[in-house]
Every structure is written in structure tokens, then in C-alpha cells.
Amino acid sequence: MFASYVKHTVVWILFGYAYLQGLSTALIMSIDAQPDPSLFKTVLFTLIYVFLVAHLITKYEKLSPFFGAVTISLSAIVLFVTM
């Protein structure tokens, strides 16, 4: 059981990096897609991306979705601060 958590944690950290890259891409695309960028639409599109990722985590992660979501979020925050 412990080995399974370690394996999933490593995958979650890698997914946190992909999540951060996707979030920055979604942010750039939402700004570029608007002729007159507004903060409301940009935040709305970013929240849609975040909800989509949260839905996918809870749908496909069977071991521990809450622990996976927390690990992915924390690794993305740490990567965001260090990059």
C-alpha cells in the first residue's frame, strides 16, 4: 500500500508540473483570444480550466482523490514560485 502511495505521489507531482504549464497556457490563450481583454473573462476561463482539472482528478483517481488534488496543487504552487 505504501509503495502505491509513493508511486502515485510521484505521478501527481509530475501532473502538477503539467497542470501549471496548462494553466499558464490557458491564461495566455484566454487573454489573446479576446479583442479587448477583460479581467472577468480571463478569470472565468481560468476557473473553467481549474474545474475541468479537478473533475478529471476526482473522476480517474481511485486511490485517494483528495490527497492527489492537494499534492498536485501544492506542487504546482511550489513550481510557480520557483519558476
Side-chain angles (χ1 to χ4, degrees):
M1 187 71 169
F2 179 73
S4 180
Y5 271 104
V6 170
K7 181 178 71 170
H8 277 243
T9 303
V10 170
V11 171
W12 292 331
I13 291 171
L14 292 174
F15 188 75
Y17 175 74
Y19 169 73
L20 177 65
Q21 294 301 319
L23 184 61
S24 62
T25 302
L27 183 62
I28 291 170
M29 288 175 61
S30 69
I31 292 171
D32 288 344
Q34 302 174 49
D36 186 26
S38 69
L39 182 62
F40 176 74
K41 283 187 179 178
T42 303
V43 170
L44 177 70
F45 293 144
T46 305
L47 283 176
I48 290 171
Y49 175 79
V50 170
F51 288 138
L52 173 67
V53 170
H55 164 71
L56 292 175
I57 291 169
T58 57
K59 181 177 180 181
Y60 291 110
E61 180 55 45
K62 301 298 180 203
L63 183 63
S64 178
F66 178 75
F67 183 65
V70 169
T71 305
I72 290 167
S73 301
L74 290 178
S75 63
I77 290 170
V78 168
L79 288 169
F80 178 74
V81 169
T82 58
M83 291 181 120

